[in-house]
Amino acid sequence: EIVLTQSPGTLSLSPGDRATLSCRASQSVSSSYFAWYQQKPGQAPRLLIFGVSSRATGIPDRFSGSGSGTDFTLTISRLEPEDFAVYYCQQYGSSPLTFGGGTKVEIK
Amino acid sequence: EVQLVESGGDLVQPGGSLRLSCAASGFTFSSYSMNWVRQAPGKGLEWVSFISSSRNAIYYADSVKGRFTISRDSAKNSLYLQMDSLRDEDTAVYYCARDIAHGDSVRWFFDLWGRGTQVTVSS
């Protein structure tokens, strides 16, 4: 099973800042099968990015994904108030699919 | 409105059983593969089970294999999770989630999630 480790656990930033979230896999993720989700308290998770760098429908272009192999990054270019949430990475290249433990982006 | 709504969560004793439901609306439920994903308190997300659109493929996480059973009823636009022999470590919020692909395709990431239902296993 591929273990995904997200860092940092919490990111304290201000609106307008750039956010860089990291996800490291215990083994190489095959064929760019990698996604990111956003979750706000009491809400369902929301798909942001799939295939490492493709934005899901309706996701603003301030969200971008990059990476390969074992190291992946979600970047939010300029934080909007609605972006403060928990973010999860997911790999779906190996069975079972697995998720990271999450990074909380909080208001500084 | 396109949505998934889970129900059936409750407080149950270890060794007990529970049946979760997920009601789908606003889309052609029968055309999509579906999953259950759970989140234990203070933890990340954990994939639990998968059922294909045609019900000819079913998979489980090792942690629930032999104890949980996934099923679906397209006439009722509903997904189910029968949970038996429940353990303390099954305590979590359970989400149903739709695979982004429809028909026979499966892509293994999820574009529609419900808000979840709380399952607590405790004596």
Side-chain angles (χ1 to χ4, degrees):
Chain A
E1 171 175 319
I2 294 180
V3 176
L4 299 179
T5 303
Q6 293 188 240
S7 61
T10 303
L11 203 48
S12 298
L13 296 168
S14 301
D17 286 349
R18 180 184 184 90
T20 303
L21 288 66
S22 174
C23 185
R24 177 162 288 177
S26 60
Q27 308 168 41
S28 183
V29 176
S30 62
S31 303
S32 303
Y33 291 150
F34 202 85
W36 291 90
Y37 299 84
Q38 175 194 68
Q39 186 178 31
K40 298 178 182 179
Q43 295 188 18
R46 175 193 182 195
L47 177 66
L48 297 175
I49 300 285
F50 62 91
V52 176
S53 59
S54 297
R55 278 186 299 277
T57 302
I59 302 303
D61 60 8
R62 63 179 181 273
F63 290 92
S64 63
S66 62
S68 64
T70 60
D71 291 293
F72 299 87
T73 300
L74 175 70
T75 302
I76 310 170
S77 59
R78 288 183 318 279
L79 282 165
E80 297 288 341
E82 61 269 27
D83 298 337
F84 291 91
V86 180
Y87 293 84
Y88 294 97
C89 56
Q90 179 211 344
Q91 68 80 24
Y92 49 99
S94 297
S95 177
L97 65 88
T98 50
F99 295 88
T103 290
K104 181 180 181 180
V105 179
E106 66 175 21
I107 299 177
K108 187 174 182 180
Chain B
E1 181 185 1
V2 177
Q3 64 176 357
L4 297 168
V5 179
E6 302 92 339
S7 61
D10 205 347
L11 170 64
V12 61
Q13 292 189 337
S17 296
L18 210 54
R19 189 194 196 207
L20 306 183
S21 299
C22 171
S25 59
F27 66 99
T28 306
F29 175 72
S30 60
S31 294
Y32 290 85
S33 297
M34 298 295 297
N35 296 262
W36 286 99
V37 177
R38 68 185 179 183
Q39 185 171 32
K43 303 293 185 181
L45 299 165
E46 179 190 15
W47 171 78
V48 172
S49 184
F50 163 94
I51 185 167
S52 64
S53 58
S54 58
R55 294 182 292 177
N56 62 1
I58 287 176
Y59 305 111
Y60 298 98
D62 286 346
S63 57
V64 306
K65 200 173 295 182
R67 300 187 298 121
F68 289 11
T69 303
I70 192 172
S71 63
R72 64 190 296 162
D73 184 338
S74 292
K76 295 183 178 180
N77 289 332
S78 292
L79 175 72
Y80 304 102
L81 187 68
Q82 177 66 40
M83 309 165 67
D84 298 318
S85 303
L86 282 161
R87 306 168 179 168
D88 290 351
E89 56 265 34
D90 295 319
T91 295
V93 175
Y94 284 73
Y95 299 96
C96 60
R98 184 182 79 175
D99 193 278
I100 195 169
H102 54 80
D104 294 333
S105 298
V106 183
R107 297 196 67 186
W108 297 104
F109 58 94
F110 314 130
D111 69 335
L112 182 65
W113 298 63
R115 293 196 173 198
T117 186
Q118 176 70 50
V119 173
T120 303
V121 184
S122 175
S123 53

